[in-house]
Amino acid sequence: MSAHSRVSTAVPERQSPVQIRLADVLTRMANAATMPNRPAPTLLAVSKTQHVDAITVLAAAGQRAFGENYVQEALPKIEALKALDLEWHLIGNLQSNKAQDAARAFDWIQTIDRAKLVALLARHRPPDLPPLNVLVQVNIDDEASKHGCAPADAMRLADLIATEPRLRLRGLMAIPAPHEDPQQRVQAFRAMHDLFDAMAKQHPGIDTLSMGMSGDFVGAIEQGATMVRVGSALFGPRVTPPQDASKQEPHS
């Protein structure tokens, strides 16, 4: 038997649980994005309540973008993992008194829902950093407990963002109500896609429709999501959140 035909006896490296979960999510995302001319959706790993070690493991498996709900929880993680050159998204409600820290630390803010935040983020985004990527958060199901602007106000906020050179309007974000009937979620996703298309006519540069989480990201992609926010399907069951997080809305 020649050297070129010798059968290798090397044992294939066994995949870790994180690698398996990441591969499964990416496969399901790819299978959902089957419509013609539809761009491949982006995966945002929701790392709220996760330790830096868990984030590092997922980053080593190839994941680059991570989402955090709380500015103060995220800041030490961003600092500790600076050498990995990860992309950080704020996906939780942004309080005005945290806008300065958020503008300096994050690459994306997905939860713009009022004009005051636009002005604050634009003022505090450092000039030596690229413009801050921002999404308008829409309360598509008009839930009293959810943040986000009314669909009718989304265009006004988008127009305002577009006037700020330190901000870059990227599109829309939503957290539809967790209806038990999947068809009701589909209707919300469709409404967001319609709103996104209408906004794109006014702002042709937008490219991001962020919707869909661990339990419904396939349906969101089928209705046009270009970014999905996935937490437990990647990291496993979520650890107990901080006490002050218990009243916040889910984002993964």
Side-chain angles (χ1 to χ4, degrees):
M1 182 180 293
S2 69
H4 291 290
S5 61
R6 186 175 298 125
V7 177
S8 172
T9 58
V11 177
E13 184 177 349
R14 178 176 297 178
Q15 287 189 314
S16 69
V18 168
Q19 289 174 312
I20 293 172
R21 288 194 292 265
L22 177 60
D24 175 68
V25 169
L26 292 174
T27 297
R28 293 169 64 193
M29 288 173 61
N31 290 340
T34 57
M35 295 292 289
N37 302 317
R38 178 165 293 172
T42 299
L43 173 61
L44 182 67
V46 178
S47 50
K48 68 175 183 180
T49 76
Q50 299 293 337
H51 191 271
V52 293
D53 290 346
I55 300 171
T56 300
V57 170
L58 193 56
Q63 178 62 27
R64 309 310 302 165
F66 291 84
E68 291 283 330
N69 273 39
Y70 315 108
V71 174
Q72 291 307 113
E73 179 189 339
L75 293 178
K77 297 181 185 180
I78 294 172
E79 180 63 27
L81 299 174
K82 186 181 298 183
L84 298 183
D85 193 27
L86 302 175
E87 180 179 279
W88 294 96
H89 296 231
L90 182 66
I91 57 173
N93 178 51
L94 177 59
Q95 298 176 341
S96 298
N97 62 357
K98 298 292 193 301
Q100 181 171 351
D101 287 338
R104 294 175 180 274
F106 286 89
D107 302 294
W108 289 65
I109 306 291
Q110 295 203 15
T111 51
I112 304 299
D113 61 0
R114 56 197 186 278
K116 183 178 182 179
L117 288 179
V118 176
L120 288 171
L121 292 171
R123 181 193 311 164
H124 293 300
R125 183 64 170 177
D128 59 329
L129 293 178
L132 181 63
N133 299 293
V134 297
L135 301 179
V136 175
Q137 182 178 1
V138 178
N139 187 346
I140 194 62
D141 287 318
D142 192 25
E143 290 185 275
S145 62
K146 291 284 182 70
H147 296 285
C149 69
D153 295 331
M155 191 68 74
R156 177 182 58 84
L157 276 176
D159 292 344
L160 184 60
I161 292 166
T163 67
E164 296 287 357
R166 301 306 305 145
L167 305 180
R168 181 184 175 193
L169 176 65
R170 298 297 295 267
L172 298 171
M173 179 268 222
I175 309 170
H179 296 292
E180 292 185 8
D181 180 2
Q183 188 58 36
Q184 290 185 282
R185 296 196 195 190
V186 168
Q187 291 174 1
F189 291 147
R190 286 177 179 168
M192 281 301 301
H193 189 259
D194 290 344
L195 185 60
F196 180 83
D197 283 348
M199 185 173 287
K201 294 177 181 178
Q202 186 75 21
H203 298 281
I206 67 171
D207 58 7
T208 304
L209 178 55
S210 173
M211 60 184 189
M213 302 185 290
S214 288
D216 59 11
F217 69 84
V218 169
I221 293 171
E222 290 174 345
Q223 299 305 322
T226 68
M227 180 182 291
V228 294
R229 308 179 304 272
V230 179
S232 57
L234 291 171
F235 289 102
R238 180 169 294 148
V239 298
T240 303
Q243 287 185 346
D244 62 351
S246 62
K247 298 181 180 180
Q248 299 290 332
E249 62 192 78
H251 286 76
S252 67

